Amino acid sequence: MLRVKHLLARKGYDIWSVEAEEPVLAAIQIMADRHVGALPVLRDGQLVGLVSERDYARKVILLGRSSAETEVWQIMSSPVVTVRPEDEIRHCMQIVTERRVRHLPVVDDTGSMIGMISIGDLVRAVIEEQQETIEQLERFIAG
């Protein structure tokens, strides 16, 4: 059974984040530079929220706020839905579907963030797992 730790081993443990008091413009710049759709929001090194392109569109652009003057904590989503390295990929798919989120921070037993997975990572992993199953079945049938 494929687990979050397997996904992180493949994609890496890089984490790009933003501080809660930073302007939204800084968060958007990091997302653009790193080609990611969301960032964990930290305060004193602790995960306090998640800010996404969706948050930006709905809570800054549509409300006519200034990206340079609005702080990240004002638009972030909180509390954050997290997963653990031992969680199964299918469980994570259930979370993103039911909670309507696209990004899941991964935390260890101490609550420290060790990675981030997206719905794209999950879909890719499920497709790869299904492809392996198909290939095994084809080999079995071919005998």
Side-chain angles (χ1 to χ4, degrees), residues 6-44:
H6 302 125
L7 237 178
L8 287 177
R10 279 192 233 156
K11 84 172 264 184
Y13 292 84
D14 292 335
I15 302 171
W16 297 285
S17 63
V18 66
E19 290 292 320
E21 286 73 26
E22 288 287 319
V24 171
L25 186 59
I28 295 301
Q29 187 64 59
I30 294 169
M31 285 188 251
D33 292 346
R34 299 297 181 179
H35 306 286
V36 296
L39 294 172
V41 180
L42 306 178
R43 182 175 282 134
D44 299 323

Side-chain angles (χ1 to χ4, degrees), residues 35-141:
H35 306 286
V36 296
L39 294 172
V41 180
L42 306 178
R43 182 175 282 134
D44 299 323
Q46 296 298 310
L47 179 64
V48 294
L50 196 70
V51 64
S52 68
E53 292 169 334
R54 181 185 293 175
D55 292 321
Y56 177 67
R58 293 180 179 178
K59 299 173 187 173
V60 176
I61 299 298
L62 287 179
L63 297 179
R65 295 168 122 175
S66 166
S67 307
E69 295 174 13
T70 304
E71 294 182 354
V72 171
W73 68 268
Q74 294 175 294
I75 69 161
M76 71 184 185
S77 298
S78 183
V80 183
V81 180
T82 61
V83 294
R84 301 201 175 272
E86 293 301 321
D87 287 344
E88 293 180 2
I89 297 303
R90 292 189 194 284
H91 173 68
C92 296
M93 289 291 285
Q94 183 177 1
I95 291 171
V96 298
T97 302
E98 290 174 0
R99 300 301 274 290
R100 299 187 64 168
V101 296
R102 300 180 57 81
H103 301 85
L104 295 170
V106 182
V107 297
D108 64 15
D109 292 334
T110 68
S112 297
M113 193 169 149
I114 60 168
M116 181 90 125
I117 58 174
S118 70
I119 192 168
D121 298 326
L122 295 169
V123 169
R124 191 175 306 110
V126 168
I127 289 171
E128 289 172 4
E129 188 176 42
Q130 289 175 346
Q131 186 61 38
E132 287 175 22
T133 301
I134 290 168
E135 290 171 5
Q136 289 173 357
L137 290 170
E138 287 174 343
R139 284 193 298 273
F140 176 77
I141 291 169

